[in-house]
Amino acid sequence: MNDPQPIDALIIGGGFYGAAIAVYLARQRGLRHIVLVEREAALMQRASFNNQARVHNGYHYPRSFTTAYRSRVNLPRFVSDWPAIIKQDFTKLYAIARRNSKVTARQFERFCRDIGAPIQPASLALRGLFEPRLIEAVFEVQEFAFDSSKLAQWAEQALRECEVQVRCQTQVTALHRGSEGGIEAVLRQADGGESRLHCRYAFNCTYSGLNQLGGEFPGIQAQLKQEITEIPLLQMPATLNSLGITLMDGPFFSMMPFPAKGLHSLSHVRYTPHLHWQDEPGRNPYDKLQHYPRQSRVEHMLRDVERYIPAVRGARYVESLFEVKTVLVMNESNDARPILFEKHAHLPGSYSVLGGKIDNIYDVLEKLDAEPFTRPD
């Protein structure tokens, strides 16, 4: 079965980036016929939900000034564009460890001043939550969380208003050059049925699945590392419930409010990654995740956190989010999180997009602003 007429743009992947690009193409670039294809039963069910739900303000990246500065630039715009999804009613702390940290308290404070990020010493009461023999300094900063469920609701409403056709439980398996120009996509439905769709432009926003398209799709040039990660969700004791805490900057951890569930997430540099491998075509990351045993490491995480914050002993473990995390290999050493934006000359009209953080969306849209999209009259 083939779609009867060509479409302007095909968006492959219904995460936040896919939805935001579809809305941008409709509202800002005037494309009228857009189809968004998502393999899950609903939008934003994978990496867009299964993450720490942090809106960065630069603090997390003292070893990548560019990433930190872009976060500072993007955060106010993100909060302004999506105010309904932002959680601000908590106090965010960054603590600097006395040992094994890659940044000292003085260096961290100077770095924050350099990027213009608000920072001040934490109160005596807040510093009292930490084990002083292990912590050099504690700072109060300005960093927010976002509600993934509300963001998915925004995506559904905005796509509907833009008349974007959304096809869930559908996969794009291959892209080919169209016989009369453009791109021909092969779609597979959940029941195994296949169809073909002709489009002028195709946007590969599949995150961990960027290299899993067949046909004449050339794959991306950048090397990717895939990780199976675990983020436990916890009910915090009263003393910690209104706080977000990040311990910098080495084999440490971060606890953030997770608004979609009314809990806190916990990530740990040592224990959150369970398994990793170099990405390559034909090695489907989602298949590996599906067959992974998912044995939680939350006890190891909590034992380490308790050394620094004794009150976390009162936390109650609820569940864990397991997901595939995709990282550009070239940025592993410095923690940078730039976007990947590749325009595939071998298959004209096709693009691949990967963002490491939710606020990177503006970097993607700036790239798209420079593209000369055309549409039929």
Side-chain angles (χ1 to χ4, degrees):
M1 174 182 173
N2 295 335
D3 282 80
Q5 63 180 19
I7 63 168
D8 291 342
L10 170 66
I11 312 296
I12 311 168
F16 173 63
Y17 275 62
I21 289 172
V23 171
Y24 163 86
L25 293 173
R27 289 179 175 170
Q28 306 299 322
R29 305 305 297 271
L31 300 190
R32 299 191 189 97
H33 305 292
I34 302 173
V35 174
L36 184 149
V37 173
E38 166 56 42
R39 61 182 287 160
E40 303 296 330
L43 300 176
M44 294 183 55
Q45 298 298 297
R46 300 300 304 258
S48 293
F49 187 92
N50 298 324
N51 62 75
Q52 208 170 24
R54 184 201 309 263
V55 186
H56 285 275
N57 202 7
Y59 305 101
H60 218 62
Y61 303 103
R63 287 175 286 135
S64 176
F65 183 88
T66 300
T67 299
Y69 183 75
R70 291 301 299 175
S71 293
R72 285 287 300 129
V73 170
N74 290 336
L75 178 134
R77 187 175 174 186
F78 190 90
V79 172
S80 176
D81 288 345
W82 284 279
I85 74 161
I86 302 297
K87 180 177 176 62
Q88 303 185 37
D89 60 342
F90 66 98
T91 299
K92 185 60 201 289
L93 304 176
Y94 270 71
I96 310 299
R98 290 190 183 278
R99 291 182 288 276
N100 297 323
S101 178
K102 297 176 183 178
V103 61
T104 66
R106 179 175 294 180
Q107 290 169 338
F108 181 71
E109 194 168 12
R110 183 170 60 246
F111 158 75
C112 293
R113 305 292 185 201
D114 287 344
I115 65 171
I119 183 172
Q120 64 182 19
S123 67
L124 183 62
L126 291 173
R127 293 201 308 271
L129 294 171
F130 297 83
E131 169 52 63
R133 292 173 297 178
L134 300 179
I135 297 295
E136 180 186 0
V138 182
F139 299 101
E140 184 174 339
V141 303
Q142 186 181 74
E143 197 170 64
F144 307 138
F146 66 92
D147 189 319
S148 307
S149 296
K150 290 182 179 179
L151 192 57
Q153 293 169 11
W154 163 84
E156 292 171 2
Q157 180 177 341
L159 292 170
R160 187 165 52 249
E161 291 173 353
C162 292
E163 299 183 343
V164 173
Q165 183 185 147
V166 177
R167 302 185 187 181
C168 291
Q169 294 186 296
T170 303
Q171 289 181 254
V172 175
T173 59
L175 297 176
H176 301 273
R177 290 191 188 92
S179 58
E180 299 180 1
I183 299 169
E184 188 174 83
V186 180
L187 280 63
R188 179 182 299 153
Q189 287 73 41
D191 61 6
E194 285 196 349
S195 62
R196 290 177 179 260
L197 180 152
H198 190 271
C199 57
R200 296 170 65 83
Y201 306 106
F203 296 86
N204 179 11
C205 305
T206 53
Y207 190 63
S208 297
L210 286 175
N211 276 320
Q212 304 309 313
L213 296 175
E216 294 176 85
F217 179 74
I220 65 170
Q221 295 181 355
Q223 289 187 306
L224 301 178
K225 174 185 173 182
Q226 307 284 16
E227 296 179 346
I228 292 179
T229 61
E230 176 192 5
I231 297 182
L233 298 181
L234 308 166
Q235 180 65 61
M236 285 295 175
T239 51
L240 301 176
N241 197 46
S242 61
L243 301 177
I245 300 173
T246 297
L247 182 62
M248 296 288 281
D249 171 35
F252 301 133
F253 58 84
S254 188
M255 301 186 296
M256 287 286 293
F258 192 81
K261 299 239 177 179
L263 300 169
H264 271 60
S265 63
L266 172 61
S267 65
H268 194 290
V269 171
R270 182 181 297 118
Y271 298 115
T272 285
H274 279 231
L275 179 69
H276 65 85
W277 67 95
Q278 297 298 113
D279 185 62
E280 59 186 28
R283 196 176 187 187
N284 193 317
Y286 300 116
D287 290 344
K288 292 183 73 70
L289 178 62
Q290 183 179 356
H291 295 98
Y292 189 71
R294 304 192 184 200
Q295 295 177 345
S296 178
R297 297 176 178 175
V298 65
E299 293 299 327
H300 297 287
M301 298 186 198
L302 288 174
R303 275 199 296 271
D304 191 44
V305 174
E306 285 175 15
R307 296 192 299 125
Y308 299 91
I309 309 171
V312 84
R313 295 190 188 101
R316 180 176 66 86
Y317 171 63
V318 178
E319 62 178 307
S320 287
L321 305 176
F322 282 87
E323 190 52 87
V324 180
K325 178 181 178 181
T326 303
V327 180
L328 289 167
V329 171
M330 65 180 179
N331 296 122
E332 277 196 285
S333 61
N334 62 6
D335 285 342
R337 291 296 180 268
I339 62 164
L340 179 147
F341 183 90
E342 289 192 10
K343 184 176 179 179
H344 303 296
H346 183 73
L347 189 60
S350 66
Y351 301 80
S352 290
V353 174
L354 172 70
K357 305 184 286 90
I358 193 168
D359 52 274
N360 276 150
I361 187 60
Y362 297 110
D363 300 336
V364 173
L365 300 185
E366 285 182 11
K367 293 284 188 181
L368 293 176
D369 281 341
E371 293 298 309
F373 298 124
T374 59
R375 57 185 172 86
D377 294 331

